[in-house]
């Protein structure tokens, strides 16, 4: 099981609540890790002293209205639950696209720490507008997800989000990113090359929702738990509505959603919905079929008569041509006979 250790937000958020380069650090204030795994410090870092501690078991974020609390939750859930249908709060499908300006290459990176071993894993999302131009077309909104295990070579602090993200002593509250922001392609290239140079990082890159969900499950981060948290936070933290069951049917639905893979049932539901829609239009479709069949019968007769007419026209044209030939031959014979008589 993992606990959220740190959050890094880079160049993302709406105009009134943007995160230029923000790190929320929850490390080192929980209980000791019971079975710590061996850890190696990164460059310019001190070797770890003593057993690691778990992240904060709870925390409170104080912000004024419009300060970005809901934005923060939406961005976190966009990493763990990909797809606009999983947007926190039942927002419209384009709400996450409003968090990105034309020149942005936005990042949301989450560092998770294992409760027993203290090992960490980073999962993140990167997004940008294709062509550096904001559009209402969702196909021009590019997004991808990545994961790696921090260690020598790369960590949450040294993500290659900018052209100069070199490993250096990080001062408190200061970003290590310097220079111009990398594009999504530039970020992916550096991430991939770093993963080749340091195989221990176990770098992955996914652009398909289903494959990213499978990757999260393989890492031990169950997206189903975040789906419940999303539903509990749909109304600013109102969790009671999720478990408010009025009858046996509601409880059965809640239980089935908990133990059933919704990807399979969603496909079946779409299929049943399609058949139900067709059955609901049965009388309309039957009348349309009968009308089409009758029309085809009449059109078939018209086509046959048209073919007969064309055949008669061909016979008539051939007869006319033979008659003209006969007239020409008779005229020639008459001329010859008159010449002979003279």
């Amino acid at each position: 099981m993992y606990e959220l250790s740190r959050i890094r937000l880079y160049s993302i958020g709406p105009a009134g609540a943007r995160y230029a380069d923000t790190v929320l650090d929850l490390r080192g204030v929980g209980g000791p890790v019971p079975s710590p795994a061996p850890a190696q410090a990164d460059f310019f870092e001190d070797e770890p002293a003593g057993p690691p501690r778990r992240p904060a078991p709870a925390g409170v974020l104080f912000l004024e209205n419009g300060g970005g609390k809901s934005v923060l939750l939406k961005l976190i859930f966009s990493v763990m639950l990909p797809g606009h249908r999983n947007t926190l709060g039942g927002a419209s499908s384009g709400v996450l696209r409003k968090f990105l300006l034309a020149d942005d290459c936005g990042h949301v990176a989450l560092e998770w720490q294992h409760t027993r071993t203290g090992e960490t894993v980073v999962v993140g999302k990167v997004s940008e507008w294709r062509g550096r131009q904001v559009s209402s077309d969702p196909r021009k909104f590019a997004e991808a997800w990545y994961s790696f295990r921090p260690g020598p070579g790369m960590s949450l602090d040294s993500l290659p989000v900018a052209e100069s993200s070199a490993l250096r002593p990080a001062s408190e509250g200061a970003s290590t990113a310097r220079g111009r922001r990398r594009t999504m392609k530039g970020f992916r290239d550096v991430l991939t090359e770093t993963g080749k140079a340091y195989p221990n990082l176990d770098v992955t890159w996914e652009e398909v929702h289903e494959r990213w969900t499978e990757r999260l499950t393989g890492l031990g981060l169950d997206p189903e738990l975040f789906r419940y948290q999303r539903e509990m936070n749909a109304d600013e933290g109102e969790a009671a509505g999720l478990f408010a069951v009025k009858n046996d049917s509601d409880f059965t639905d809640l239980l089935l959603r908990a133990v059933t893979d919704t990807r399979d049932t969603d496909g079946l539901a779409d299929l049943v919905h399609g058949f139900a829609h067709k059955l609901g239009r049965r009388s309309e479709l039957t009348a349309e079929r009968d009308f089409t069949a009758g029309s085809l019968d009449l059109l078939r007769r018209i086509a046959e008569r048209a073919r007969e007419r064309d055949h008669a026209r061909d016979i008539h044209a051939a007869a006319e041509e033979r008659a003209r030939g006969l007239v020409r031959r008779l005229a020639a014979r008459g001329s010859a006979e008159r010449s002979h008589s003279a």
Side-chain angles (χ1 to χ4, degrees), residues 89-104:
S92 64
S93 59
V95 65
L96 294 177
R97 298 196 292 271
K98 296 178 182 178
F99 294 169
L100 211 64
L101 302 181
D103 295 332
D104 281 340

Side-chain angles (χ1 to χ4, degrees), residues 86-166:
N86 293 318
T87 303
L88 181 66
S92 64
S93 59
V95 65
L96 294 177
R97 298 196 292 271
K98 296 178 182 178
F99 294 169
L100 211 64
L101 302 181
D103 295 332
D104 281 340
C105 182
H107 293 264
V108 184
L110 310 177
E111 182 182 79
W112 299 87
Q113 180 177 325
H114 198 275
T115 56
R116 298 192 60 83
T117 64
E119 294 177 299
T120 57
V121 62
V122 172
V123 296
K125 174 186 175 182
V126 55
S127 52
E128 71 175 5
W129 286 105
R130 292 189 174 95
R132 297 296 187 182
Q133 189 173 15
V134 178
S135 173
S136 58
D137 187 356
R139 293 173 298 181
K140 295 185 178 181
F141 183 74
E143 55 184 358
W145 293 263
Y146 58 90
S147 68
F148 65 91
R149 299 185 181 277
M154 187 166 57
S155 65
L156 185 73
D157 298 309
S158 61
L159 275 178
V161 295
E163 291 184 348
S164 177
S165 296

